[in-house]
Amino acid sequence: MDILTIGEVLIDLTQTGKDEKGIPQFAANPGGAPANLAVAAARLGAQTAFIGKVGADAFGRYLKEVLAENKVDVSGMAVDADHPTTMAVVSVDATGERDFSFYRSANADVMLCKEDISDEALKAAKIVHFGSVSLTADPSRTATLDAAARAKKMGAVITYDPNYRANLWKNKEDAIAQMKAPLPLVDILKVSDEELPLLTGTTDCESGTAQLAQNGIRLIFVTLGANGVFYRFGEKTGHVAGVPCKVGDTNGAGDTFFGAALSKLCKEELDTLTVDKLEGILAFANKAASITTSRHGAIPAMPTLAEVEG
């Protein structure tokens, strides 16, 4: 297995417009950053698996089907008979930017337990990936950190995307502390230009990533929206320009970028990776993210390998 992702899978009720009476219309899109990343990487040729928890309901069955249809191994997905599948309502403004409202205080994704993540699944993966939404509450927080620590000991490359969603945390201070907690385990980190100052206290990519690298993180990406990506690879830093597009919505763009990058990096060894090769991978990832941004939804908008290479 190239990439195992752990964390939330949920229904994004995404606003699609309004009817003739002005009533907002929503589409039930599959979502959740780790699930999105698993699909993005699978569509681009990587072997991926996903471990998370859904409810024993129609949305849960639908999410499992969607991942399986996209060639993601769902044998490790757990079903919770007592808690419903998690939902997020995603409103999109005129510029394509998103606003999230979550329905998950006692929902299935938060109920992921240590016992749901087997050593066999971790051992089989070259890369084990997670995000910070899993860290907002227990038992999923403990389960995720435990799995990352176990996978690290087994020799997996650990990748992390701290997605900041303010309304999922008690307060900003708690969010920052919990988002920072896994950093010493991480080999490859992706942050957005909005999350960099949360974790480092600076908007400067050079000094911010230098600070993050002190945790032992070997490769860091700072995504800059339409402006592409800044990277730090050991002592080397650089910038790879974005690919312009007409924005449909930005939902899933960061997951597509990271999934695309990891679909290539899972075939490489970090010890022998060159800067030229890395910049080629990031150009590929920027193009994949641009295609997703030009469309609507997250998973439904993600490109195939033929589309990115075409």
Side-chain angles (χ1 to χ4, degrees), residues 92-123:
V92 182
D93 69 17
T95 67
E97 281 303 317
R98 305 156 301 159
D99 176 59
F100 288 85
S101 301
F102 287 89
Y103 297 82
R104 75 185 283 264
S105 59
N107 287 50
D109 85 280
V110 184
M111 300 302 157
L112 187 71
C113 302
K114 287 200 280 190
E115 297 72 31
D116 294 320
I117 308 168
S118 71
D119 278 349
E120 290 70 31
L122 297 172
K123 205 176 289 177

Side-chain angles (χ1 to χ4, degrees), residues 5-24:
T5 73
I6 297 170
E8 75 280 4
V9 62
L10 48 86
I11 293 292
D12 278 337
L13 287 177
T14 309
Q15 190 175 344
T16 55
K18 295 181 179 178
D19 69 6
E20 66 279 358
K21 293 178 181 172
I23 297 168

Side-chain angles (χ1 to χ4, degrees), residues 247-261:
V247 174
D249 78 58
T250 57
N251 199 13
D255 302 324
T256 301
F257 168 85
F258 207 10

Side-chain angles (χ1 to χ4, degrees), residues 3-256:
I3 304 163
L4 168 64
T5 73
I6 297 170
E8 75 280 4
V9 62
L10 48 86
I11 293 292
D12 278 337
L13 287 177
T14 309
Q15 190 175 344
T16 55
K18 295 181 179 178
D19 69 6
E20 66 279 358
K21 293 178 181 172
I23 297 168
Q25 305 293 294
F26 290 83
N29 283 308
N36 289 346
L37 188 145
V39 171
R43 285 199 183 171
L44 297 171
Q47 276 189 311
T48 72
F50 171 78
I51 293 177
K53 196 167 253 186
V54 292
D57 49 37
F59 280 152
R61 291 189 292 276
Y62 167 63
L63 290 169
K64 197 166 188 177
E65 281 167 17
V66 169
L67 294 187
E69 281 165 11
N70 281 282
K71 300 191 169 50
V72 176
D73 179 344
V74 292
S75 58
M77 271 182 79
V79 176
D80 189 316
D82 300 319
H83 299 91
T85 299
T86 303
M87 286 197 302
V89 177
V90 187
S91 304
V92 182
D93 69 17
T95 67
E97 281 303 317
R98 305 156 301 159
D99 176 59
F100 288 85
S101 301
F102 287 89
Y103 297 82
R104 75 185 283 264
S105 59
N107 287 50
D109 85 280
V110 184
M111 300 302 157
L112 187 71
C113 302
K114 287 200 280 190
E115 297 72 31
D116 294 320
I117 308 168
S118 71
D119 278 349
E120 290 70 31
L122 297 172
K123 205 176 289 177
K126 293 176 194 166
I127 289 174
V128 172
H129 171 80
F130 65 100
S132 62
V133 170
S134 312
L135 308 179
T136 54
D138 269 326
S140 65
R141 176 192 298 159
T142 298
T144 303
L145 294 175
D146 174 75
R150 278 189 282 151
K152 181 94 169 173
K153 279 184 187 157
M154 293 174 192
V157 171
I158 307 300
T159 67
Y160 175 46
D161 180 2
N163 264 323
Y164 180 59
R165 302 276 180 260
N167 52 4
L168 288 180
W169 299 92
K170 290 192 190 90
N171 53 60
K172 191 185 267 193
E173 292 69 36
D174 186 46
I176 291 167
Q178 298 296 347
M179 286 164 70
K180 283 181 172 181
L183 293 177
L185 292 169
V186 176
D187 297 295
I188 304 175
L189 175 73
K190 181 197 85 71
V191 296
S192 71
D193 49 358
E194 293 167 354
E195 288 142 5
L196 182 70
L198 275 178
L199 296 178
T200 65
T202 180
T203 56
D204 182 72
C205 290
E206 193 83 37
S207 62
T209 56
Q211 191 186 129
L212 290 167
Q214 289 171 5
N215 290 282
I217 304 168
R218 299 163 74 187
L219 184 53
I220 302 170
F221 307 133
V222 183
T223 54
L224 307 168
N227 294 321
V229 61
F230 175 94
Y231 69 85
R232 174 176 290 278
F233 182 33
E235 293 302 310
K236 304 180 186 90
T237 59
H239 174 261
V240 178
V243 177
C245 72
K246 183 167 186 278
V247 174
D249 78 58
T250 57
N251 199 13
D255 302 324
T256 301

